[in-house]
Amino acid sequence: MTTPDAAPSTVAPVTAVEARTRMSPRKRAKISRGIQYGLLVVAVVILAVAIDWGRVGDQIFNVEAAKDLAPKIPQAFLNTLTYTAAAFAVGLSLGIVLALMKLSSVGVYRWLATAYIEFFRGIPALLVVIAFAYAVPIALGVSIPSLTLKAALALGMVSAAYIAETLRAGIEAVPPGQIEAARSLGMSHSRTLVTVVIPQAFRIVLPPMTNEIILLTKDTSLIYLMGLLPTQFDLTKIGRDALSSGSGGGLTGLFVAGLGYLCITIPLGLLARWLEKRTGKGSRS
Amino acid sequence: MTTAPSTAASAPVVTVRDLHKSFGSNAVLRGIDLEVVPGEVVCVIGPSGSGKSTLLRCVNQLESATSGTVTVLGAEITDPDINIDVVRQHVGMVFQQFNLFTHQTVLENCTVAQRKVLKRSKKKATEVALENLARVGLADRGDSHPTQLSGGQQQRVAIARALSMNPSLMLFDEPTSALDPELVGDVLTVMRDLAEQGMTMIVVTHEMAFAREVADRVVFMDGGVVVESGPPEQVIGAPREARTRAFLDRVLNPTHSGTEPGAGPETTGTV
C-alpha cells in the first residue's frame, strides 16, 4: 500500500503519459477546421467548373434585361411594401384579439380562438387568397373594391393565426413578479396588461415577430391570383411577366424580384436586431 | 366601489382574524390573528415554510384567504365585493426579488402607477418620484435602467416606487434576502428611517438585528401559526417558547461551533 504522501507522485506521471498519447482537443479542433475549409474549396471549384457562366450571364444575370425592367421596379417595390404593411396591420390587430381570447377566463373565447388558429394555420395562404377573390363576393354578394384591402384581409387573417400564438407565448413568458408588482401598486388587471405585460411581451416576441413580417412579405407574392392592374403589380408579378414575355434575359426578372425582396427583408432583420438591442438595455432580471 | 379607506386615529391599519390559507391539501396558514395599529412596525420572523410570506401576501390579496377575514384600512378585503385595487393604492409592497419593471427607467418605475392609477400629472408624479428617490439616496439614478443598478439599489428604487403612491401601510417581503451581504445595510437604513418617520410597516425578515432594533413588535411564526408575539426584547431577547428559542439559536449561531469566523472587513452596517 502507498502512504498518503506517496499517492500524488504515483498518480501524476500516469495521467501525464495518458494525456500526451491521446490527441488533445485543441489539435482535434484544428484538424476539423482544416477539413471544413477543404470541403469549402472543393465545393467552390466544382461549382465554378460545372456552371455554364455564359448562359448564366445571358439567362439569369442579364444586365441589359435588368435595365429594361428597372423603370417598373420602384412601383412594384412600393406595392409589395404596401401590401405587406396593410396585411401586417390586419394580422397584428386580429392577432392581439386572438391572443387575448386565448388567455381569456371565458372558455368559449379560448375555444373560438383555438379553432381559428388551428384552421388558418393549417390551410395554405394560397387558398385563403383565392377564397377572398372569389368566395367572399359570392357569399356576401359584395366584392371588396380595394385590392390592398382585399389582400390585407386575406393575408392578415392567415398571419393573425401565427401572430396570436407568438403573442400568447410572449405574454405568458413575462415573469409573474412583474404582474404582482403592478397589481400591488393598485393597477387593475387590464391596466397591468397594457402598461406592463404587453410592453415586456413585445421585447420577447420581437425576433419571432420579425419572422412573421418576413414571411408575410414573401406571401404578398400570392395576391396576383386576385387579378392585378399594371399599377398594382408586385415584385413577383414583374419578375414572372419578364420571364413569360420572352423579351430576352430569361430568368433575370425573377432574379431582380428576388433582390427586391431582400431589399425589404434584410433591413427588417437589421431593424429588429437594433430594436432588440435598444429595448434590451433593461433585459430581464 | 369602496370609499377611500378610513384612517381614523387609533383604528387598526390591519386586522387579521382566524386566517387560513391552503394550497391544495397543503395548509400554509392555520388560524392567524394579527392586529397592526397606525405607526407600528411589526417584524414577522420564522423558519422558511412557516407561512410568513403567505401571511403578508394575504394582506394585499396577492393570495386570497381560504377562510377568515383580513381588514386593511377599514376595508374587509376578504369580502369579494371590495375593489382590491382601491385598497392596494394605499398599501406599498416590496418584494424579495425587487420586481422593478424591467422595460422602464428608474424614474418611470416610480411614476407609472402615480399617473395611471392616481391620475397625477406628469409633472406632479415626477416631483413625487424624485422626492422619494432622494429619500432612498438615488435621486441621480432616475434615467438608469434597473439592470444597471446593484441589487441594493434596485431594492431601494422598489421602496421609492412604493412610497411614491403615498401609502398608509408598507409591506416588506424578505427585502434583503436576495442581496449580497454588503448591500443589505443600505436597504435596512432606508427602512429604519421610514419606521422612524412613523410609517406603519409589516416586515417579513431574517435580519434579527434589524427586528430587534426597529420593530415595535416581533411575531414569530412556525407551521402556519403565530407561536409567540411581543416586543423584540422579549421575543428575540428572552423567548418563552421552545420553538422560538430553537429557531433563534439556529439563526444566530448557524455553525453551532465555538470557533469564530474571525472579524473580516465585511461590515453589515445596521448603524
Side-chain angles (χ1 to χ4, degrees):
Chain A
M1 288 308 292
T2 56
T3 64
D5 284 342
S9 58
T10 53
V11 170
V14 173
T15 315
V17 168
E18 202 189 339
R20 286 219 172 277
T21 48
R22 286 174 53 178
M23 191 189 288
S24 82
R26 264 172 296 178
K27 196 180 276 177
R28 208 175 308 158
K30 204 172 161 189
I31 292 172
S32 162
R33 263 199 307 276
I35 293 173
Q36 292 177 54
Y37 279 120
L39 280 174
L40 193 66
V41 170
V42 170
V44 168
V45 168
I46 290 177
L47 277 177
V49 172
I51 290 174
D52 184 338
W53 289 104
R55 266 166 48 203
V56 166
D58 184 42
Q59 297 289 312
I60 304 178
F61 300 141
N62 190 323
V63 179
E64 288 308 313
K67 273 184 188 156
D68 289 345
L69 211 52
K72 295 183 184 167
I73 299 295
Q75 180 68 51
F77 186 80
L78 204 64
N79 284 342
T80 294
L81 267 183
T82 310
Y83 301 143
T84 306
F88 185 66
V90 172
L92 186 62
S93 321
L94 192 57
I96 289 173
V97 172
L98 285 166
L100 293 179
M101 280 171 77
K102 262 218 117 156
L103 296 168
S104 164
S105 54
V106 180
V108 180
Y109 281 137
R110 285 201 304 274
W111 186 85
L112 282 174
T114 306
Y116 180 98
I117 290 166
E118 291 303 329
F119 182 77
F120 279 97
R121 214 167 45 169
I123 58 173
L126 185 74
L127 292 190
V128 181
V129 170
I130 295 173
F132 257 87
Y134 303 104
V136 170
I138 294 170
L140 299 179
V142 286
S143 64
I144 302 162
S146 156
L147 174 84
T148 305
L149 182 61
K150 217 165 22 173
L153 283 174
L155 295 175
M157 280 176 74
V158 175
S159 79
Y162 294 92
I163 288 174
E165 281 295 75
T166 303
L167 289 177
R168 181 189 59 79
I171 286 172
E172 285 180 343
V174 173
Q178 297 284 314
I179 297 163
E180 285 184 353
R183 295 307 304 272
S184 72
L185 285 164
M187 291 188 203
S188 66
H189 178 78
S190 47
R191 169 51 68 194
T192 301
L193 196 67
V194 172
T195 309
V196 175
V197 177
I198 290 178
Q200 295 205 17
F202 172 76
R203 195 166 63 206
I204 298 169
V205 303
L206 204 52
M209 201 58 99
T210 311
N211 274 345
E212 285 311 321
I213 304 179
I214 288 174
L215 287 173
L216 201 51
T217 308
K218 298 185 294 180
D219 275 355
T220 57
S221 63
L222 296 172
I223 63 161
Y224 76 91
L225 286 161
M226 290 177 160
L228 302 180
L229 299 171
T231 53
Q232 298 171 330
F233 284 1
D234 71 306
L235 285 168
T236 302
K237 178 72 176 156
I238 295 283
R240 285 161 49 93
D241 282 0
L243 176 64
S244 55
S245 68
S247 61
L251 294 159
T252 303
L254 292 182
F255 179 78
V256 170
L259 276 183
Y261 284 105
L262 291 177
C263 288
I264 298 173
T265 57
I266 290 174
L268 259 180
L270 292 176
L271 174 72
R273 218 169 304 162
W274 176 78
L275 268 176
E276 221 174 314
K277 222 179 233 170
R278 209 184 65 121
T279 54
K281 221 187 278 170
S283 69
R284 292 170 58 190
S285 52
Chain B
M1 280 302 292
T2 59
T3 54
S6 64
T7 41
S10 60
V13 179
V14 177
T15 310
V16 176
R17 288 275 168 267
D18 196 29
L19 176 66
H20 288 255
K21 173 66 184 178
S22 303
F23 295 100
S25 60
N26 180 19
V28 177
L29 298 180
R30 301 185 297 167
I32 302 278
D33 289 286
L34 181 71
E35 202 160 276
V36 181
V37 298
E40 197 179 14
V41 177
V42 175
C43 282
V44 183
I45 61 171
S48 41
S50 59
K52 336 180 269 299
S53 288
T54 306
L55 169 62
L56 197 72
R57 290 163 62 85
C58 282
V59 173
N60 74 348
Q61 190 90 151
L62 283 181
E63 303 291 351
S64 49
T66 305
S67 70
T69 61
V70 178
T71 307
V72 177
L73 300 163
E76 193 193 310
I77 61 170
T78 34
D79 175 354
D81 289 335
I82 285 280
N83 183 340
I84 188 64
D85 296 337
V86 177
V87 180
R88 281 178 180 150
Q89 290 171 21
H90 303 269
V91 180
M93 175 104 176
V94 175
F95 299 87
Q96 184 179 348
Q97 298 295 340
F98 332 134
N99 293 349
L100 291 180
F101 301 134
T102 49
H103 64 298
Q104 295 179 333
T105 63
V106 164
L107 189 62
E108 285 165 346
N109 263 276
C110 296
T111 54
V112 62
Q114 293 188 65
R115 300 193 56 201
K116 305 293 184 187
V117 177
L118 303 181
K119 308 291 179 200
R120 284 179 185 158
S121 69
K122 184 172 183 178
K123 187 163 168 280
K124 168 77 176 158
T126 307
E127 221 168 81
V128 173
L130 288 175
E131 205 173 284
N132 283 300
L133 283 171
R135 218 164 151 184
V136 301
L138 292 169
D140 54 335
R141 301 308 298 265
D143 294 329
S144 303
H145 273 268
T147 44
Q148 296 167 325
L149 303 179
S150 72
Q153 290 172 326
Q154 288 191 50
Q155 193 60 297
R156 285 186 280 150
V157 171
I159 294 172
R161 173 174 73 175
L163 291 177
S164 295
M165 299 293 283
N166 303 100
S168 308
L169 167 67
M170 285 286 287
L171 308 175
F172 293 85
D173 188 4
E174 301 197 25
T176 57
S177 295
L179 298 178
D180 290 338
E182 79 271 21
L183 303 175
V184 168
D186 291 340
V187 172
L188 292 181
T189 304
V190 166
M191 290 169 63
R192 198 199 51 196
D193 292 347
L194 200 54
E196 279 171 2
Q197 288 155 20
M199 177 62 74
T200 313
M201 296 163 59
I202 306 179
V203 184
V204 170
T205 187
H206 291 292
E207 300 290 335
M208 292 306 145
F210 174 83
R212 190 192 274 258
E213 188 203 354
V214 178
D216 295 307
R217 191 147 51 96
V218 173
V219 172
F220 172 69
M221 282 179 70
D222 191 15
V225 294
V226 173
V227 175
E228 189 167 353
S229 159
E233 51 274 21
Q234 179 209 312
V235 177
I236 299 175
R240 289 185 198 141
E241 300 290 329
R243 275 198 279 177
T244 318
R245 277 199 295 276
F247 170 73
L248 287 170
D249 192 43
R250 280 200 307 275
V251 172
L252 299 174
N253 310 300
T255 53
H256 275 284
S257 66
T259 52
E260 287 296 314
E266 177 187 309
T267 49
T268 311
T270 9
V271 191

